[in-house]
Amino acid sequence: MRTFTAESLQEIAFPIGGIGTGTVSLGGRGNLRDWEIFNRPAKGKDLPYTFFSIYAEPEGGAGVARVLERRLMPPYTAGFGLPTSKVSGLPRLKEAIFHGEYPLARIEFQDDDLPVQVSLEAFNPFIPMNTLDSGTPTALLDWTVTNPLDVPVSVTIACSLLNAVGYNGQDSISNRFYGGFGANLNQWREEEALEGIYMSGSKHAPDSPLFGSMAVATEWPQTTFKLRWERAGWWDDVQNFWDEFTHGRGELNNRSAESVSPDGQSDVGTLGLKVTLEPGQTATLPFILSWHFPNLHNTWNGEASVKGKRLGNWYSTQWADAWDAARYVADNRERLESETRAYHSALFNSTLPDEVLDAASANASILRTTTVLRTEDGRMNGFEGCGDNSGCCAMNCTHVWNYVQTVAYLFPELERSVRLTDFQHNTRSNGDMAFRTLLPLIGDLWAHMPAADGQMGTVMKVYREWLQCGDKDFLTAVWPGVVRAIEHAWLPGSWDADKDGVMEGKQHNTYDIEFYGANTMMGTFYLGALRAAEEMALALGENNRAAEYRGVYESGRAGYSAQLFNGEFYRQIVNTPFWEATRGPVSRETHPDSIVTDTEPRYQYGEGCLADQLLGQWFARVVGLGDVLPEGELKATLAAIYKYNFKEDLTRHESVQRVYAINDEGGLLLCTWPNGGRPTYPFPYADEIWTGIEYQVASHCIYEGLVDEGLAIVRAVRDRHDGQKRNPWNEFECGHHYARAMASWSLVLAMSGQQYHAADGHLTVAPVGDACNFRCIYTAGTQWGSFSLHAGSDSSEFNLEPAWGEATLSSLGFPGIGDSSLVDADLDGVSLLATTHEGIVHFAGPLILKAGQKLTLRVHPSGV
């Protein structure tokens, strides 16, 4: 578990919320920050007067009241003083120690004046493959207090929350005053197992983007509350609350009747949980924050057909309002928490390297941020990342999301929904795929040339999704679009018009420019797509088409190797004649003279060593398609990328481009020119460092046996995100929480060597390194859990322990199996008939594995 304290707390913002619901972040000091629940990013946007506080009084002693946060840290510079809306002048606790293992965060507070020990655990249900429970619009914050004294201590922990219904998530709020507020209402609700304050507003119509509700609730039976603070001038409202909280010894006197707020104003409500602790006693006081803002609108596109259109939130189709969501969590808390902890245990109670666990877990949080939407139709959609106040680079960008593996292996249902959009909506009749999606899906397509890497990578994604689900209906539904997308490459003027398997044409790509000529970044995606399409065609009985794809693949595989490998890595052949023939007339009114007189295309890399040059080969490794280029060349190329592009110290690195790593930090450069030949104007991002590419290269290194090199790259990334310089739960590129960083899940796949083929019911694992004592999380389409492998000189033991869902298993592959091996197999102690063939254990019939069971296989060499 990563631990942060003192200055390293400064940048921490741990996102808490469900998939497609937005989040509120837990700051390193225990503060609630970045309220991004209003259908848009909102970095730096805090809700005034929203904080936790504690009153603790030992029997016979003086009471102590504190804001439940670590003390504020510099800088303290502010033209009008530190903000009163953050109760900056109220006393806080001396120190905090933040522990983060996503999806769980824990803060231990330290303060000699407080008569109790206090800690906070915060999370939202995160249960792979369960999109409902992982998509609740809630934040669970559980405060644990312990009495270390030899006398009883009475304690109240209170949550004060502004009713922010009517807020657009973008503007600044002055204390309780904001133009969108008015007719806001706080109501006390009390049910058998839930009570708290429900917050609504009637100023805005039910279809307005500003319409919604919030709640702060608890299952704790002993409560005190203040429905709304005094409506008063200056700072009388907060002064009144604090005086009542302290002088009332933690007891709040709710003298306020329900009434709507004046126009332009809203109210703060406070819910307090009370407990008396005997000496040595501990209690956990649970809070649920919930929200419900159903009317997501398209605020990011300028196209008239979609601009401003309502999309809605899927979560609003599951829960009627914020109280309904809180009730659901309260009613199901034991199961939701248990299954979340089971995932946490499966991931973190493994033998994977710490840096792998840290990277894979931290970037799973991107799924819960405003980078990802789940619209009312249930489909997942995603920006590339988030600006401070708006999404960045909408929507479902195929080339950026090529890198993303987290969603496919933890929530495959959501990835399949995007493939339906890709191939049933975004792929034109000629196979040209719109690589961004216009929402809502009303027929209009984004007008831009197709992206070669995005389009071919998306074919590989279909294959990945089919491996995970084994559903032939899904494959059949998208297959016509897949065929058009592949064969678009063969059209006149397209990427591979001569159908030789090598892309020579104009190839738009993830660097926001076009490569002209043969290169393996596009080429390995093309080869991988051909191989994936071949496998899918065979599954659908289209043998002639499969053979055609295989023929083009074999030709391209030989062509790329012969033309581009320079003995160390793959270069690019810049196709200047094609550029000259296709660039069209150049107007001096729209282009500067320097471009008019160019004699070759700008923004190429030529003789450079490109970090992404094996990108499609990496994806082929992830989905088990093998080598799309010669094995020896692959390992040499990765060694060259590490040698030339990975810098342990960037102090002397020169770049006029965007900066993501600096000074003595380490990182992997997108491109270098170790043998010279750097173009005058290389592609725009060549000197930058992107975490998604770092994870892609690192995991590929691990697949190819360069384990130390791969882990060194990962450590450099996570060392940069140390809490002081950067937030460990926010890897940014073109915006915060950048989707490409979810390439990090491939580190888990590479270290464990796991592959699952649902249609065949086959699971294989091939751990990297010491297989004598290996334990890791696994995912199998509709199930996840843990596996362990204990390999000895005389025998091997493999254990599979499903924690959630069901899966069919007909065969298993893992190290140590020979054709003459003897296998003892049992399921929950009941013997199974199993045989070995070609290094695989085959069961007599398909097994239906369920959560809570345990499958054990002991493999012995023949005669042992």
Side-chain angles (χ1 to χ4, degrees):
M1 177 175 285
R2 291 192 75 178
T3 299
F4 309 86
T5 193
E7 291 79 7
S8 66
L9 300 172
Q10 188 84 317
E11 290 298 315
I12 288 177
F14 187 96
I16 313 170
I19 299 172
T21 71
T23 62
V24 55
S25 288
L26 177 65
R29 298 185 298 104
N31 52 312
L32 297 177
R33 55 178 290 185
D34 301 338
W35 284 81
E36 300 178 283
I37 64 175
F38 304 99
N39 291 320
R40 66 185 311 140
K43 293 301 178 203
K45 299 300 189 297
D46 298 332
L47 295 188
Y49 298 129
T50 296
F51 61 98
F52 284 93
S53 54
I54 186 171
Y55 181 87
E57 181 180 314
E59 186 177 273
V64 176
R66 294 287 185 269
V67 173
L68 271 175
E69 298 173 9
R70 193 249 192 219
R71 295 172 186 170
L72 298 174
M73 292 182 282
Y76 304 132
T77 305
F80 297 90
L82 297 179
T84 59
S85 62
K86 295 184 180 181
V87 291
S88 303
L90 292 180
R92 286 165 165 78
L93 305 178
K94 183 178 181 180
E95 191 53 271
I97 303 172
F98 191 105
H99 306 273
E101 287 182 344
Y102 194 82
L104 304 177
R106 190 177 81 251
I107 307 179
E108 298 169 0
F109 294 91
Q110 298 175 343
D111 193 289
D112 294 338
D113 293 337
L114 200 64
V116 293
Q117 297 165 350
V118 61
S119 64
L120 168 66
E121 184 173 68
F123 69 102
N124 174 280
F126 190 98
I127 306 164
M129 301 172 194
N130 183 340
T131 61
L132 174 68
D133 292 339
S134 302
T136 63
T138 58
L140 282 66
L141 301 116
D142 296 341
W143 292 90
T144 297
V145 285
T146 299
N147 177 11
L149 306 180
D150 56 5
V151 296
V153 180
S154 60
V155 177
T156 300
I157 291 183
C159 177
S160 297
L161 176 65
L162 175 71
N163 180 340
V165 174
Y167 178 46
N168 68 2
Q170 185 173 16
D171 301 329
S172 296
I173 304 175
S174 177
N175 296 339
R176 295 180 293 102
F177 303 93
Y178 173 71
F181 291 162
N184 287 28
L185 179 64
N186 292 357
Q187 297 173 290
W188 179 254
R189 288 193 174 181
E190 189 169 338
E191 300 176 359
E192 181 178 352
L194 188 71
E195 55 189 66
I197 301 172
Y198 173 67
M199 300 177 170
S200 61
S202 55
K203 179 175 181 176
H204 304 283
D207 61 352
S208 166
L210 303 181
F211 177 81
S213 59
M214 302 170 64
V216 53
T218 186
E219 307 101 298
W220 192 255
Q222 297 170 272
T223 60
T224 182
F225 69 96
K226 194 172 184 66
L227 203 56
R228 58 178 175 84
W229 290 4
E230 180 182 5
R231 294 171 183 159
W234 290 95
W235 304 293
D236 296 356
D237 49 1
V238 63
Q239 184 72 66
N240 174 269
F241 160 73
W242 193 251
D243 287 348
E244 184 175 312
F245 187 61
T246 55
H247 299 160
R249 303 166 68 185
E251 188 72 34
L252 298 171
N253 182 4
N254 185 56
R255 295 182 295 270
S256 303
E258 291 182 3
S259 68
V260 298
S261 64
D263 192 52
Q265 298 184 37
S266 191
D267 292 309
V268 177
T270 301
L271 171 65
L273 312 188
K274 303 185 299 179
V275 66
T276 298
L277 298 172
E278 296 299 323
Q281 187 179 2
T282 295
T284 297
L285 308 180
F287 289 85
I288 302 171
L289 298 181
S290 59
W291 55 89
H292 191 275
F293 294 93
N295 299 313
L296 171 68
H297 285 66
N298 187 325
T299 59
W300 49 86
N301 278 117
E303 288 84 350
S305 61
V306 296
K307 182 179 180 180
K309 292 292 194 300
R310 184 183 182 279
L311 306 172
N313 281 313
W314 180 81
Y315 78 77
S316 69
T317 69
Q318 307 300 306
W319 296 284
D321 55 25
W323 190 263
D324 193 28
R327 182 194 297 115
Y328 178 83
V329 169
D331 288 346
N332 294 277
R333 175 187 276 267
E334 184 177 354
R335 178 182 58 81
L336 296 176
E337 185 170 342
S338 173
E339 293 180 355
T340 298
R341 293 188 188 281
Y343 161 72
H344 175 272
S345 177
L347 181 59
F348 286 97
N349 289 348
S350 76
T351 57
L352 295 176
D354 291 346
E355 56 267 40
V356 168
L357 293 173
D358 185 37
S361 64
N363 287 299
S365 68
I366 297 169
L367 263 170
R368 318 293 278 279
T369 68
T370 46
T371 293
V372 172
L373 312 176
R374 193 174 187 192
T375 45
E376 201 167 65
D377 58 7
R379 297 192 184 204
M380 184 183 82
N381 298 278
F383 294 98
E384 293 182 23
C386 302
D388 285 355
N389 295 295
S390 60
C392 177
C393 306
M395 182 66 68
N396 301 348
C397 179
T398 57
H399 53 67
V400 168
W401 281 78
N402 273 342
Y403 296 76
V404 175
Q405 302 297 338
T406 306
V407 190
Y409 290 94
L410 296 186
F411 297 96
E413 170 193 353
L414 298 181
E415 274 288 7
R416 289 197 295 276
S417 76
V418 186
R419 299 295 83 75
L420 296 176
T421 302
D422 289 334
F423 289 102
Q424 293 184 332
H425 180 79
N426 279 344
T427 303
R428 297 176 172 91
S429 59
N430 70 346
D432 171 341
M433 178 185 291
F435 68 83
R436 299 189 188 276
T437 302
L438 295 181
L439 295 177
L441 302 176
I442 57 175
D444 286 11
L445 298 184
W446 192 60
H448 195 282
M449 72 179 76
D453 54 351
Q455 186 153 323
M456 294 301 149
T458 303
V459 172
M460 297 184 75
K461 284 182 270 190
V462 171
Y463 181 65
R464 178 189 62 192
E465 270 64 275
W466 177 62
L467 289 179
Q468 292 298 300
C469 71
D471 183 355
K472 188 168 283 190
D473 288 342
F474 163 75
L475 188 56
T476 301
V478 298
W479 181 244
V482 170
V483 171
R484 295 199 306 274
I486 283 280
E487 299 181 6
H488 175 78
W490 305 338
L491 297 179
S494 190
W495 304 312
D496 183 22
D498 60 4
K499 202 176 174 182
D500 68 349
V502 176
M503 287 184 168
E504 301 95 354
K506 181 180 182 180
Q507 302 152 60
H508 187 74
N509 59 72
T510 198
Y511 302 140
D512 300 322
I513 46 82
E514 291 76 48
F515 285 153
Y516 290 87
N519 67 90
T520 53
M521 178 180 172
M522 305 301 112
T524 53
F525 263 133
Y526 184 31
L527 296 177
L530 288 165
R531 277 287 294 117
E534 175 194 0
E535 295 293 331
M536 292 185 284
L538 290 172
L540 293 173
E542 298 190 17
N543 295 344
N544 291 338
R545 178 165 274 139
E548 182 179 25
Y549 293 157
R550 184 72 186 202
V552 178
Y553 161 79
E554 292 291 356
S555 174
R557 174 183 164 91
Y560 280 112
S561 177
Q563 297 175 38
L564 302 185
F565 189 67
N566 68 6
E568 280 192 292
F569 54 85
Y570 295 92
R571 64 192 182 98
Q572 176 201 12
I573 296 177
V574 179
N575 190 342
T576 301
F578 187 90
W579 168 73
E580 291 175 337
T582 59
R583 65 174 173 164
V586 177
S587 168
R588 289 182 180 271
E589 295 179 358
T590 58
H591 291 75
D593 289 346
S594 60
I595 293 182
V596 172
T597 59
D598 279 346
T599 58
E600 60 182 21
R602 290 192 178 196
Y603 313 134
Q604 310 302 292
Y605 68 93
E607 300 299 320
C609 181
L610 184 70
D612 264 341
Q613 63 185 284
L614 297 179
L615 183 56
Q617 174 63 75
W618 161 76
F619 206 131
R621 282 276 183 263
V622 169
V623 296
L625 286 173
D627 297 336
V628 301
L629 290 171
E631 180 182 1
E633 294 178 8
L634 295 177
K635 191 165 185 176
T637 298
L638 283 168
I641 292 171
Y642 182 80
K643 176 181 178 181
Y644 296 127
N645 294 34
F646 181 62
K647 307 298 179 184
E648 294 182 346
D649 186 327
L650 293 162
T651 303
R652 293 178 176 83
H653 176 57
E654 298 177 357
S655 174
V656 297
Q657 300 167 11
R658 302 170 302 179
V659 176
Y660 300 105
I662 195 169
N663 298 333
D664 60 352
E665 296 177 326
L668 186 79
L669 299 173
L670 266 64
C671 199
T672 60
W673 285 263
N675 302 317
R678 177 184 168 110
T680 304
Y681 298 105
F683 67 93
Y685 309 129
D687 299 323
E688 296 183 1
I689 291 172
W690 299 352
T691 69
I693 292 178
E694 289 177 294
Y695 291 137
Q696 175 266 125
V697 171
S699 60
H700 197 180
C701 282
I702 293 168
Y703 274 120
E704 303 294 346
L706 301 174
V707 179
D708 291 342
E709 291 86 344
L711 295 180
I713 295 171
V714 179
R715 283 194 297 272
V717 181
R718 296 307 293 165
D719 285 349
R720 299 199 303 262
H721 295 79
D722 63 355
Q724 183 174 8
K725 294 178 290 187
R726 299 173 187 83
N727 178 11
W729 292 278
N730 179 6
E731 293 188 8
F732 46 87
E733 187 189 309
C734 188
H736 303 281
H737 309 293
Y738 199 74
R740 199 187 319 261
M742 285 190 280
S744 54
W745 194 262
S746 67
L747 296 166
V748 175
L749 303 176
M751 290 297 301
S752 62
Q754 60 181 281
Q755 297 281 342
Y756 179 66
H757 197 313
D760 294 342
H762 178 70
L763 174 67
T764 185
V765 299
V768 169
D770 182 12
C772 295
N773 185 26
F774 189 91
R775 184 175 179 85
C776 185
I777 190 173
Y778 78 91
T779 60
T782 53
Q783 182 183 86
W784 55 269
S786 298
F787 77 86
S788 61
L789 179 64
H790 306 277
S793 57
D794 295 331
S795 63
S796 298
E797 180 174 307
F798 178 86
N799 293 289
L800 195 70
E801 300 177 70
W804 193 93
E806 291 187 7
T808 299
L809 196 63
S810 298
S811 57
L812 267 169
F814 56 88
I817 304 172
D819 286 349
S820 59
S821 296
L822 301 177
V823 180
D824 294 326
D826 70 75
L827 181 61
D828 289 339
V830 178
S831 294
L832 301 171
L833 180 60
T835 58
T836 60
H837 179 64
E838 296 183 347
I840 295 174
V841 174
H842 296 267
F843 301 107
L847 304 178
I848 306 299
L849 292 180
K850 300 181 180 181
Q853 294 183 317
K854 183 176 181 179
L855 175 66
T856 299
L857 289 85
R858 300 172 185 86
V859 179
H860 311 276
S862 178
V864 176

